[in-house]
């Protein structure tokens, strides 16, 4: 399964942390990465100093924060291979995977054992299929050869291990079946629990302590910091990676993903359409009616979708219990019993049922605490709570069940891209505020929560909305005509057109927003001759009336930016370094594989060896020779050839032919052994660091080639570069539908998407980028401008040697010229990154033939503020 971009970015940060921790230690690595501007911005209030575990200060412990629906379990599966390569550095690490409940424990173990499941496929890819998965209840089934030759994953709950008194707990008890694991060990090892009469306990806990498992903690945000110091020491993990939506602030949060990123990647349904009802019966009725409407819409979707309602009943000692709610559905709402399923701790009617099967009849699920009961299905579209929302402690988890997008892909019909909440709340507006609080508890930022709750039509006062002033509704064109059923059928085929019958037998044509020329002509063609003139006159009148109510984008204004193109092999291609590399023929063998003394060095003693890595020293300590051998493969296999083949698997590159890579790696290993006198055994012991160094060298070689083609096709004297309006980038209405909006008081006059649709600014709400936007909006001769969101697939970009450059703003002047603006704070204005952006921006300007201007704006330059800097460019370049 291909990872989403935010998932790949999360794992990339985790890998960098472990690699840096190898050299600088966990605290140094954490503080170095979280101090980076991008990470600091991401973490916001979650940033802080590193808090080591009390009993294990040298053990890396970090938390990755992803909102509900972000795919924490698949990231956990991928994280094992990353930790193996960058920190654990054993071919087959042991993994202790902890989850919050027994139900989820069983589900997770089953998924990890299933060779067709994406979780298991990620593991098999990382370990060449050599994976063993055990439920913690079956720990006695683990054999020494499993641990030696496979990545062994034991799935359990934190409750199994978190005890102060270990007596009676199987995982801490002596078990003769575990004896084979301990026969080769010394009779006494520090940290192991012993029997009363002496000797080591043959226990699961002692097995963990010996093999130092990687600990994956899935959605158990109180687990790690809630462990006793004694339990930390008993398990003795090599590293801890926690995945949660709601971390504690002292959890060493390394990376934070926003809900908007999940929405952008089509993982979750947003916004949530909220309906408040004065009684629980009305809330239930509203949910049922909504499901019926969604089911009708879903019939037109390319994928099979059967919308499901998730009802939250009250506990047994309250009024609307599971039984009361089911009886109401059957007797009052006339729902057939076979369409209802109960999923509680006592009644598990979904066990063994595939809700995604088109033959499955279930449309309604009644639960109490969905997460604890392990229930999950992306077909769930609506949740209905018969309790007052603020009294339901698990509402955030119920919400999580209805947020997941079917097939992780945005649907064509907008109604199927939203989630629906039906709440019994007599206090007007209280449900909305409580719902926003629950979303924050699920990992949304506060402004994201407010942005993503909307009132269902008619459910709240249109003027006050949910949280004060909201977007003004778009103007709507309405015109009534006499039409035959055939004409009505033809009109309904037109996208953006609604048709409804009126009381006098005519039909009303309804179009929200702009009526463009193409749509007008399509409707006219469908209308009878006698109705066409009147319709055209009504459209003309409507356009005059609403002109000031529509943004430039809604009015259909053209906003195109020419792209850079470069001639490659006689044809012009988009200027993109990735494209340049596709046409570039290069060989790895043209680059040296030699690692110098300053890059990589080993000094070995009887009990330890040290590795110098780019000026930093990593030290490994071994208790004895037996422990050294236990950490690596059989010494008989320690040969240069075996090391080369192992490195090949670790560093394989899709754009480098394997025969070239093998030869390059042979030269690398040969140089270390023959020219630099390193013993192959020493290289085998630090092979993971050697693999990392080889990957870094390959990355540097590839970047060297990228730098070369970038210069060759864009800046060399023979380069043929143009800007093309024929292949222009186009800004258009709705392009940033998935972005948080600026919610401040300032209302820009000339934003292309309108004052209510300005994407949120980076940095502080009223920071320097915001001030730059205000300066742009005030420029004389400005037609309109737009905030160009970085790394968004719908945004304008220019190439760099390493990546893509997304300027902060693009504006169009009244005279047709384009102004591209990049804002840079004083601390980075003179850096190499800004210099590269300035160079490519100036090339774009130069090739635009006076149609484009590019400027890097700083807070002040030679006494000129932001507005004066832009004015100088606009006025000085007629």
């Amino acid at each position: 399964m291909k990872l989403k971009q935010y998932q790949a970015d999360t794992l990339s940060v985790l890998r960098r942390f472990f690699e840096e921790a190898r050299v600088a230690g966990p605290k140094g690595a954490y503080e170095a990465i979280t101090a980076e501007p991008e990470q600091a911005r991401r973490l916001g209030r979650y940033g802080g100093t590193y808090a080591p575990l009390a009993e294990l200060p040298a053990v890396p412990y970090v938390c990755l924060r992803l909102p509900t629906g972000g795919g924490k379990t698949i990231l956990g599966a991928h994280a094992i291979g990353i930790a193996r390569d960058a920190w654990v550095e054993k071919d087959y690490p042991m993994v202790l995977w902890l989850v919050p409940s027994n139900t989820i424990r069983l589900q997770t173990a089953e998924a990890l054992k299933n060779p067709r499941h994406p979780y298991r496929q990620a593991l098999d890819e990382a370990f060449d299929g050599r994976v063993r998965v055990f439920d913690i209840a079956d720990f006695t089934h683990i054999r020494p050869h499993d641990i030696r030759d496979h990545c062994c994953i034991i799935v359990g709950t934190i409750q199994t291990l978190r005890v102060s008194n270990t007596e009676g707990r199987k995982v801490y008890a002596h078990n003769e079946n575990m004896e084979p694991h301990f026969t080769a060990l010394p009779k006494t090892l520090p940290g192991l629990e012993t029997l009363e009469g002496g000797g080591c306990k043959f226990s699961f806990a002692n097995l963990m302590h010996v093999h130092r498992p990687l600990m994956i903690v899935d959605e158990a945000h109180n687990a790690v910091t809630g462990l006793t110091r004694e339990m930390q020491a008993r398990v003795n993990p090599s590293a801890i990676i926690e995945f949660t939506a709601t971390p504690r602030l002292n959890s060493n949060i390394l990376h934070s993903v926003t809900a908007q990123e999940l929405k952008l990647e089509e993982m979750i349904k947003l916004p949530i359409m909220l309906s408040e009802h004065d009684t629980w019966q009305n809330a239930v009725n509203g949910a049922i009616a909504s499901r019926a409407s969604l089911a009708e819409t879903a019939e037109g979707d390319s994928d099979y979708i059967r919308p499901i309602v998730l009802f939250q009943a009250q506990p047994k000692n309250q009024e609307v219990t599971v039984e009361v709610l089911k009886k109401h559905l059957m007797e009052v709402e006339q729902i057939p019993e076979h369409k209802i399923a109960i999923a509680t701790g006592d009644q598990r009617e979904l066990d063994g049922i595939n809700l995604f099967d088109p033959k499955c009849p279930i449309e309604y699920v009644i639960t109490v605490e969905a997460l604890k009961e392990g229930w999950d299905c992306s077909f769930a579209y609506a949740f209905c709570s018969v309790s007052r929302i603020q009294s339901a402690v698990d509402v955030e988890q119920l919400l999580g069940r209805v947020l997941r997008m079917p097939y992780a892909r945005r649907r064509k019909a907008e109604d199927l891209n939203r989630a629906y909440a039906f709440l019994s709340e007599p206090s007007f507006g209280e449900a909305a505020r409580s719902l926003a609080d629950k979303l924050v508890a699920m990992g949304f930022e506060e402004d994201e929560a407010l942005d993503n709750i909307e009132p269902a039509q008619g459910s709240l006062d249109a003027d006050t909305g949910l949280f004060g002033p909201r977007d003004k509704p778009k103007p709507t064109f309405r015109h009534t005509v006499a039409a035959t059923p055939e004409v009505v059928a033809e009109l309904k085929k037109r996208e953006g057109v609604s048709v409804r019958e009126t009381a006098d037998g005519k039909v009303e044509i309804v179009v929200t927003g702009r009526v463009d020329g193409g749509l007008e002509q399509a409707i006219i063609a469908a209308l009878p001759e006698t109705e066409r003139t009147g319709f055209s006159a009504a459209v003309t009148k409507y356009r005059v009336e609403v002109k000031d109510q529509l943004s430039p984008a809604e009015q259909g204004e053209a906003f195109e930016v020419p792209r850079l193109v470069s001639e490659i092999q006689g044809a012009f291609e988009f200027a993109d370094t990735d494209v340049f590399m596709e046409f570039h023929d290069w060989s790895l063998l043209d680059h040296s594989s030699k690692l110098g003394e300053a890059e990589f060095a080993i000094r070995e003693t009887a009990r330890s060896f040290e590795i110098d890595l780019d000026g930093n020293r990593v030290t490994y300590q071994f208790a004895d020779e037996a422990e050294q051998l236990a950490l690596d493969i059989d010494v008989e296999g320690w040969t240069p050839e075996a090391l080369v083949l192992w490195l090949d698997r670790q560093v394989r590159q899709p754009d480098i032919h394997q025969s070239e890579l093998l030869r390059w790696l042979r030269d690398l290993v040969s140089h270390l052994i023959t020219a630099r006198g390193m013993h192959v055994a020493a290289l085998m012991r630090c092979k993971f660091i050697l693999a990392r160094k080889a990957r870094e060298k390959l990355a540097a070689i590839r970047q060297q080639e990228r730098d070369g083609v970038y210069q060759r096709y864009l800046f060399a004297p023979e380069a043929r570069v143009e800007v093309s309006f024929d292949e222009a980038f186009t800004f258009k209405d709705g392009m940033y539908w998935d972005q948080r909006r600026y919610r401040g008081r300032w209302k820009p006059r000339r934003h292309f998407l309108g004052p209510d649709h300005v994407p949120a600014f980076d940095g502080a709400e009223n920071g320097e980028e915001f001030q730059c936007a205000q300066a742009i909006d005030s420029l004389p001769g400005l037609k309109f401008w737009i905030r160009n969101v970085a790394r968004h697939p719908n945004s304008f970009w220019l190439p760099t040697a390493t990546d893509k450059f997304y300027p902060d703003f693009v504006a169009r002047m009244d005279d047709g010229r384009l102004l591209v603006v990049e804002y840079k704070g004083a601390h980075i204005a003179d850096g190499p990154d800004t210099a590269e952006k300035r160079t490519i921006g100036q090339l774009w300007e130069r090739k635009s033939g006076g149609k484009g201007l590019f400027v890097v704006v700083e807070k002040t330059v030679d006494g000129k503020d932001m507005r004066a800097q832009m004015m100088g460019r606009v006025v000085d370049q007629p």
Side-chain angles (χ1 to χ4, degrees), residues 27 225 333 364 443 514 548 557 597 738 773 845 868:
K27 183 176 188 294
T225 50
E333 299 293 351
Y364 304 92
R514 173 180 173 235
D548 293 336
E557 289 275 9
E597 183 79 22
D738 51 9
E845 174 182 313

Side-chain angles (χ1 to χ4, degrees), residues 470-716:
R470 299 186 65 84
D471 298 348
K472 294 179 182 177
K474 288 185 179 181
T476 303
F477 169 79
R478 300 178 185 274
H479 183 69
T480 303
V481 298
T484 64
E486 291 77 16
V487 170
V488 172
E490 186 64 28
L491 289 172
K492 286 184 176 179
K493 295 179 183 177
R494 305 299 170 188
E495 190 171 348
V497 178
S498 299
V499 181
R500 71 173 188 88
E501 296 184 9
T502 62
D504 57 1
K506 294 185 177 183
V507 295
E508 183 182 49
I509 300 171
V510 181
V511 180
T512 301
R514 173 180 173 235
V515 183
D516 63 33
L519 183 59
E520 178 187 3
Q521 292 305 313
I523 296 174
I524 287 174
L527 291 176
E529 287 279 354
T530 55
E531 298 288 350
R532 292 177 178 178
T533 302
F535 176 80
S536 290
V539 169
T540 301
K541 181 173 180 289
Y542 171 76
R543 285 177 178 147
V544 173
E545 291 173 349
V546 304
K547 188 175 187 301
D548 293 336
Q549 300 178 47
L550 298 176
S551 69
E554 292 169 329
Q555 294 176 36
E557 289 275 9
F559 193 0
E560 295 183 336
V561 185
R563 288 175 169 170
L564 275 174
V565 293
S566 177
E567 187 181 55
I568 306 176
Q569 297 181 4
F572 279 96
E573 305 282 350
F574 282 131
D576 181 347
T577 308
D578 290 337
V579 174
F580 298 159
M581 288 294 288
E582 290 176 10
F583 288 91
H584 177 50
D585 186 21
W586 66 286
S587 173
L588 177 62
L589 301 180
D590 293 335
H591 298 269
S592 172
S593 62
K594 295 178 181 178
L595 291 174
E597 183 79 22
E599 294 174 284
F600 183 82
I602 301 175
R603 282 176 303 281
E604 193 166 7
T605 69
R607 296 178 57 84
S608 70
F609 66 89
E610 296 174 344
I611 304 171
D612 274 353
L613 201 64
D614 298 326
N616 296 297
R617 182 168 297 178
V618 182
T619 302
Y620 291 77
Q621 293 283 347
F622 297 114
D624 53 34
E625 186 66 18
E627 187 176 341
Q628 290 192 48
L629 300 184
L631 290 174
D632 288 299
I633 61 175
D634 190 346
V635 175
E636 291 179 5
W638 287 7
T639 66
E641 293 76 16
L643 178 57
V644 167
L645 292 174
W646 186 89
L647 288 171
D648 171 61
R649 292 195 300 274
Q650 291 291 308
V651 307
R652 196 166 293 167
Q653 311 284 316
D655 58 340
I656 300 175
H657 196 279
Q658 189 180 10
S659 62
E660 282 197 2
L661 181 58
L662 283 169
R663 182 174 169 185
W664 187 85
L665 289 170
R666 279 197 297 270
D667 291 345
L668 182 150
V669 171
S670 176
H671 176 260
L672 292 175
I673 293 173
T674 59
R676 296 194 50 201
M678 295 184 183
H679 197 281
V680 67
L683 294 176
M684 291 299 283
R685 289 192 187 105
C686 60
K687 61 186 176 180
F688 285 94
I689 286 185
L690 183 58
R692 187 202 320 170
K693 192 64 202 177
R695 279 194 296 268
E696 290 174 0
K697 197 166 188 72
L698 288 168
I701 289 170
R702 181 178 291 100
Q703 189 56 54
Q704 183 180 339
E705 295 287 343
R706 289 176 66 89
D707 291 342
V709 295
Y710 183 72
Q711 293 295 324
R712 171 183 168 189
Y713 287 116
L714 290 177
F715 299 101

Side-chain angles (χ1 to χ4, degrees), residues 1-302:
M1 185 176 78
K2 181 176 173 58
L3 292 175
K4 302 290 188 179
Q5 186 60 50
Y6 74 87
Q7 293 173 328
D9 291 344
T10 301
L11 294 173
S12 176
V13 172
L14 180 65
R15 181 183 290 276
R16 286 200 298 124
F17 166 75
F18 279 128
E19 290 177 346
E20 183 68 24
R22 257 291 170 224
V23 174
K27 183 176 188 294
Y30 176 85
E31 292 177 353
I33 289 175
T34 57
E36 295 170 358
E38 169 63 17
Q39 285 302 103
R41 182 186 67 79
R42 275 186 169 278
L43 292 174
R45 65 189 179 92
Y46 292 105
T49 57
Y50 184 81
L53 293 173
E55 291 295 308
L56 304 165
V59 171
Y61 161 46
V62 288
C63 175
L64 302 173
R65 174 185 173 270
L66 293 95
T68 298
K72 290 180 278 292
T73 310
I74 188 68
L75 288 183
H78 281 277
I80 295 172
I82 287 173
R84 181 268 313 270
D85 294 344
W87 177 258
V88 181
E89 295 177 350
K90 291 170 62 176
D91 287 308
Y92 303 113
M94 180 171 278
V95 180
L96 183 59
W97 189 305
L98 300 177
V99 297
S101 73
N102 283 324
T103 300
I104 297 176
R105 182 195 98 214
L106 296 173
Q107 291 176 341
T108 302
E110 182 181 353
L112 293 174
K113 290 177 182 179
N114 182 356
R116 294 185 298 276
H117 199 286
Y119 303 164
R120 179 54 180 264
Q121 290 172 350
L123 291 165
D124 283 343
E125 183 178 353
F127 294 95
D128 295 326
R130 306 187 77 167
V131 178
R132 292 280 189 271
V133 178
F134 302 89
D135 185 291
I136 198 167
D138 302 325
F139 66 81
T140 56
H141 296 175
I142 305 172
R143 295 289 177 258
H145 61 82
D146 291 324
I147 297 173
R148 184 183 66 242
D149 300 331
H150 298 82
C151 171
C152 289
I153 301 172
I154 300 97
V155 184
T157 64
I158 194 69
Q159 293 86 351
T160 306
L161 297 166
R162 187 170 55 196
V163 291
S164 55
N165 182 3
T166 62
E167 187 175 351
R169 287 296 180 105
K170 290 183 179 179
V171 295
Y172 293 106
H174 181 75
N175 191 314
E176 294 295 339
N177 292 324
M178 303 293 287
E179 182 178 4
H181 294 287
F182 298 93
T183 53
L185 295 178
K187 291 184 178 181
T188 58
L189 277 178
L192 297 187
E193 292 189 318
T194 58
L195 297 168
E196 287 187 9
C200 174
K201 262 189 185 181
F202 302 159
S203 68
F204 173 78
N206 275 350
L207 182 70
M208 292 294 99
H209 189 96
V210 169
H211 289 283
R212 306 205 61 208
L214 169 69
M215 189 184 289
I216 300 288
V217 187
D218 184 7
E219 201 59 82
H221 44 271
N222 294 326
V224 176
T225 50
L227 298 180
T228 64
R229 294 182 176 185
E230 292 79 12
M231 186 273 186
Q232 291 174 14
R234 284 181 191 132
V235 175
N236 194 28
S238 59
I240 301 176
I241 309 169
E242 182 177 346
F243 296 88
T244 183
T246 52
R248 290 186 175 187
L249 292 180
N250 62 342
S251 298
N252 300 334
I253 303 157
L254 180 70
H255 188 73
S256 178
V257 174
T258 67
Q260 291 302 133
E261 288 179 281
L262 270 61
K263 183 178 177 182
L264 174 62
E265 294 279 12
E266 305 177 357
M267 292 288 285
I268 55 177
K269 314 176 190 111
L270 287 176
I272 298 170
M273 309 306 294
L274 171 63
S275 297
E276 292 179 313
H277 300 272
D278 53 359
T279 67
W280 68 265
Q281 293 92 339
N282 287 344
V284 169
N285 182 265
I288 292 169
S290 174
R291 199 217 74 82
S293 174
L294 288 168
E296 184 177 342
T297 303
E299 291 177 1
D301 198 89
S302 58

